[in-house]
Amino acid sequence: MQEIIQFLDRSKIKYIQNLPMKSYTTFKVGGTANLVVYPENSESTALLMRYFRENGKKYIVLGNCSNVIFPDEGIQDIVLKTDLMKNISVHNDIISLGAGVLNAYAANIALKQGLSGLEFLHGIPGSIGGAVYMNAGAYGEQVSDIIVQTTYIDGCGQIQKIDRVHHEYGYRKSIFTNKDVICYSNFQLKKGDSTEIKDKMTELMQRRKTSQPLTFPSAGSIFKRPEGFYTGKLIEDCGLKGFCIGGAQVSQKHAGFIINTGNATSKDIVSLIHYIQKTVYEKFGVELETEVKIL
């Protein structure tokens, strides 16, 4: 550990030791990360990744921790967080956003510029890096509709730039692996009326408040939508709405969500996920794949 700290100090890369991740995940669960590093740009990230590779260091890449379940026992691997990559620039109708920019903030920046296209991100918890990584979407729109280019660092520590088609987007998936670090992306938006843009953001947020359990800690939709089915209905039809394991509960408001009722552990949540998968498969023969990442 001392060797790593010396490297970080020499390289002027910020870090925190023994960080309680429970305070940073939207599920409000998880143990301690031994070391969390915060590179600020693509150059420092590339330097860090090359160091990891040359010295055999294991690492995990995290953004706003809104789509992960962090283990109760903590984690030994180095955690690389993209929080400080918050560069924003606008040129005509192209907006460039750092991986650490929060989705809601990005949507509001576009609104102030009179640019339409990011409204659907307004209510999605998380940051741009995660949204680009998983092709985040809502209400019929998704990142793949507007992405132009992404700069990222691959597992070898090399800076890569890819255009729209090379993201190889699908439903909640892309070309990126869990060893890549997205630094920033460019999005093609279009000029719009600021009042109409704001009204759309307000409408989408109201739809979320009406249908989703936003007053409890959660990680949003737990499962990907299987083709031909609605996940929430499958779970509800199994009689699991409100079902609990420990402090983890299938939301009464939307069965596609698991919520932390106040004292849930990561183990409670993962156990409930597995129970739901087993029950849905036994009743309907449908395999539910998690959208949330279980570390």
Side-chain angles (χ1 to χ4, degrees):
M1 181 64 76
Q2 190 58 40
E3 176 190 326
I4 301 172
I5 297 302
Q6 289 174 355
F7 166 79
L8 295 171
D9 287 338
R10 287 196 308 271
S11 306
K12 294 182 171 54
I13 296 173
K14 295 180 181 180
Y15 62 89
I16 298 176
Q17 291 180 264
N18 302 316
L19 189 67
M21 295 303 292
K22 184 175 183 177
S23 302
Y24 294 88
T25 65
T26 56
F27 248 134
K28 300 304 177 187
V29 296
T32 298
N34 284 2
L35 179 65
V36 182
V37 295
Y38 298 88
E40 296 186 36
N41 51 48
S42 54
E43 290 75 19
S44 61
T45 306
L47 181 66
L48 189 59
M49 300 280 278
R50 288 195 292 271
Y51 173 83
F52 290 164
R53 185 168 184 266
E54 291 165 5
N55 292 274
K57 305 298 181 185
K58 293 182 179 180
Y59 63 94
I60 291 173
V61 183
L62 294 177
N64 194 49
C65 298
S66 59
N67 198 43
V68 298
I69 302 173
F70 204 86
D72 297 316
E73 63 272 21
I75 210 157
Q76 298 295 317
D77 296 353
I78 299 166
V79 173
L80 188 159
K81 277 185 113 277
T82 59
D83 297 26
L84 299 184
M85 298 184 194
K86 292 190 174 180
N87 51 298
I88 299 172
S89 63
V90 181
H91 182 68
N92 295 326
D93 53 1
I94 300 288
I95 186 168
S96 179
L97 298 166
V101 176
L102 295 179
N103 294 331
Y105 187 76
N108 277 291
I109 289 294
L111 167 63
K112 290 178 181 178
Q113 298 292 324
L115 294 172
S116 176
L118 290 182
E119 294 93 327
F120 74 96
L121 281 181
H122 178 60
I124 299 179
S127 52
I128 291 298
V132 171
Y133 177 89
M134 68 176 294
N135 191 19
Y139 304 114
E141 298 178 71
Q142 54 192 351
V143 167
S144 59
D145 299 332
I146 54 174
I147 196 84
V148 174
Q149 186 183 69
T150 294
T151 296
Y152 73 100
I153 313 302
D154 64 22
C156 295
Q158 300 301 312
I159 299 177
Q160 305 286 355
K161 287 189 178 183
I162 56 172
D163 295 327
R164 181 195 302 267
V165 67
H166 295 112
H167 287 71
E168 297 182 13
Y169 275 133
Y171 175 60
R172 302 296 177 263
K173 64 180 181 180
S174 67
I175 194 175
F176 304 109
T177 74
N178 59 4
K179 295 304 177 186
D180 298 325
V181 182
I182 293 167
C183 295
Y184 61 91
S185 295
N186 298 337
F187 302 91
Q188 175 73 65
L189 305 182
K190 56 186 178 183
K191 293 290 184 182
D193 180 85
S194 294
T195 301
E196 292 179 3
I197 295 169
K198 186 175 183 179
D199 287 346
K200 183 176 179 180
M201 288 167 59
T202 301
E203 177 197 349
L204 294 180
M205 197 65 222
Q206 187 57 45
R207 287 171 68 178
R208 288 182 181 278
K209 288 178 179 178
T210 302
S211 63
Q212 298 177 8
L214 302 183
T215 56
F216 290 91
S218 78
S221 298
I222 290 291
F223 303 102
K224 296 179 181 179
R225 180 168 55 83
E227 190 172 350
F229 297 91
Y230 288 100
T231 308
K233 188 173 189 309
L234 285 172
I235 298 170
E236 186 173 350
D237 288 348
C238 287
L240 294 178
K241 217 173 190 184
F243 182 79
C244 297
I245 292 181
Q249 181 186 62
V250 177
S251 170
Q252 295 274 15
K253 198 169 189 178
H254 190 314
F257 284 63
I258 289 176
I259 60 172
N260 179 352
T261 60
N263 62 344
T265 63
S266 295
K267 184 178 180 181
D268 291 340
I269 295 167
V270 174
S271 296
L272 184 52
I273 287 172
H274 291 162
Y275 185 83
I276 293 168
Q277 289 173 317
K278 177 176 178 289
T279 305
V280 169
Y281 184 75
E282 288 175 350
K283 186 172 178 65
F284 296 108
V286 177
E287 294 185 359
L288 293 181
E289 181 184 351
T290 57
E291 184 172 305
V292 67
K293 304 300 180 185
I294 302 171
L295 302 183

